[in-house]
Amino acid sequence: MIRAYGPAIVLIAAAALVPFAITANTVLNFIVFALIIALAAQGWNVLGGLAGQFSFGHAAFFGSGAYTTALLQTHWGVNAWVAFALSILLAGAVGWIIGFLSFRSGLRGSYFALVTLAFAEVLRILANASTFTGGAAGTLVKLDMGPANFQFASRAAFVWIALALVGFVLIATIAIMRSRFGAWLTAVRENEDAARALGVDTLAVKLKAITLSAAITGAAGALYVQYYLYLDASIAYGPWISIEALVAPIVGGIGTAFGPILGAAALHGFGELTKLFAGGIPGIDLVLYGLLLIATIAFAPDGIMGLLKRLASVFDRRRTR
Amino acid sequence: MLSVQSVTKRFGGLVAVDSASLDVAQGSIAGLIGPNGAGKTTLFTLVAGFEKPSSGTVSFAGQDVTALPAHERAALGIARTFQIVQPFAGLSVVENIAVGAYLRHPARADAQAKARAVADLVGLGGQLEQSAAALTVAGRKRLELARALATEPRLLLLDEVLAGLNPSEIRDMIPVIRNIRDRGVTILMVEHVMQAVMSLCEHIHVLAQGKIIAQGKPAEIASDPAVIEAYLGQGAAKRLQAKPAGGADA
């Protein structure tokens, strides 16, 4: 038990101390943003990493969560916390629908990836055209500071909320990986026919995975809205978030519990540093992004987690010698 | 235990299985043999539920399972192995077997304990933590068998578990299969290794060009003219009989 959950608890506890040490708004801003990306990536990892179904359109879930929270508040004055909970449910439902349509017709691999991309793009175009969503001008959530409205003057509060969500999903991911459902996810990822022969209802397992995955990424979208209080179609359903959600786990370690968090931290950490030192060149952080991705795929196909594991085993061998 | 009634499977214009019927008695080891391309593996996929027959019925323990998907048949107690072994390459041996064990043991500790017990039964007890991808061919065949066994089947369908093994590995495997049957699991096996079929099976069904052409005890099958012709070509049985002392020109 301690072996399985210990590192996760230590990491989250250590991160929770950061706002006490650092109070600079730019740094806290960066941490909140990186945590939102990490959360979206954790969602992607459940479907892409554990179940092996690569989605290219997690924006569909991020955006659905984000719009639910924003529109429930602006149109109907629903309480922000209630809206947050509903947005997670709705994003999960969107995940189930997309999963049902594509898995039922037996889509796999690149076909599944393309279909998810198509769903996200359709949603983006619809959201951009509809007056209900504010169209291209976007939607502003009314500024009304106060814990009851899920709005905080202090950035530290947001760091803790985001951290609590990321921590919860991290622990849940580890629990899933140690459970029967986790074993079935792996079986589906490795070989669907063999899984069926062993009594695994592969369609049900994949549907469960995409629903969970969408709900988590939807929570990231809702959190984004609550933090920035603004949303438009290209933020909500734009390809940027689909890419963020899949690059972070790939860089960090696909199918591992910590991978999405490490990946998001590494990518955005390096991105911010380059902006700091070479801020004069626009887009330089994106160049670095690409370079990191190439380096990962070429030299560390199992991501940072795989690299750490390899280093640990080299170290072990040295010690025993 | 298992009853297949005039099952036909067409793939487009090709009739892979043509109105085949067979029964497997509870507690027996039955063999399904036939020349390459006879439709043995297709018949297996129909019994295991991976394909639906074009016509005919499959019933298991008195229940019609023709419409049930593979995972529901597994839950009822039909397990299969694959001719081309399908290990979960990213998992260790014990994790591979545990996937099967989870069917009847939802708790992790129970499933792992079951997986260890099954690994011992098939002789993989010493390689539990090894990666499945690192196993030898013989090891993978045993893993395939172990995973199926971990689902605690009542009927086990073995698709060429001996193919690709050397003679000593085959000798090691035969008692393992017999031991499984002695624990109350009914077995239907597709096999090309005749020495094994003859020594293990109590009843043999012969499939040729999608049709069951003969069934009976091993000794009857070995001398059945229709079977000999299916394997060696038309007229072979007559030529063998005509020159019992080894006809060089046959």
Side-chain angles (χ1 to χ4, degrees), chain A residues 32-33 36 61-74 80 83-84 87 138-143 149-152 158 217-233 235-237 240:
Chain A
V32 171
F33 184 70
I36 291 173
F61 314 136
F62 183 87
S64 298
Y67 267 121
T68 308
T69 265
L71 298 178
L72 281 176
Q73 291 180 71
T74 52
F84 186 76
S87 67
T139 299
L140 275 167
V141 176
K142 206 174 91 194
L143 187 70
N149 298 325
F150 203 153
Q151 293 184 21
F152 302 94
F158 260 108
T217 302
L223 196 61
Y224 181 99
V225 166
Q226 226 40 57
Y227 187 65
Y228 293 100
L229 299 175
Y230 172 76
L231 190 67
D232 68 20
I235 293 172
Y237 289 122
W240 75 278

Side-chain angles (χ1 to χ4, degrees), chain B residues 65-149:
Chain B
V65 296
T66 316
L68 293 185
H71 67 266
E72 284 180 32
R73 294 195 201 186
L76 282 179
I78 302 180
R80 72 169 289 190
T81 67
F82 289 88
Q83 181 181 355
I84 299 159
V85 290
Q86 317 262 16
F88 302 126
L91 301 185
S92 70
V93 166
V94 69
E95 286 168 334
N96 258 278
I97 305 173
V99 172
Y102 271 122
L103 181 62
R104 317 243 183 249
H105 304 276
R108 175 185 167 88
D110 298 350
Q112 299 241 331
K114 173 75 191 172
R116 280 168 211 282
V118 172
D120 282 337
L121 192 67
V122 302
L124 280 174
Q127 292 153 296
L128 288 174
E129 302 304 330
Q130 203 171 324
S131 158
L135 288 177
T136 60
V137 174
R140 287 176 193 208
K141 294 277 185 184
R142 283 174 195 260
L143 179 60
E144 193 72 26
L145 186 61
R147 259 189 349 201
L149 270 183

Side-chain angles (χ1 to χ4, degrees), chain A residues 282-316:
Chain A
I284 185 76
D285 55 320
L286 294 177
V287 173
L288 191 94
Y289 238 76
L291 287 178
L292 260 178
L293 192 60
I294 294 170
T296 310
I297 290 165
F299 302 112
D302 296 324
I304 298 172
M305 286 300 285
L307 212 60
L308 290 177
K309 223 182 202 169
R310 271 206 325 247
L311 285 179
S313 71
V314 168
F315 192 71
D316 264 2

Side-chain angles (χ1 to χ4, degrees), chain B residues 48-60:
Chain B
F50 280 73
E51 301 269 3
K52 298 261 180 297
S54 312
S55 67
T57 58
V58 177
S59 39
F60 173 68

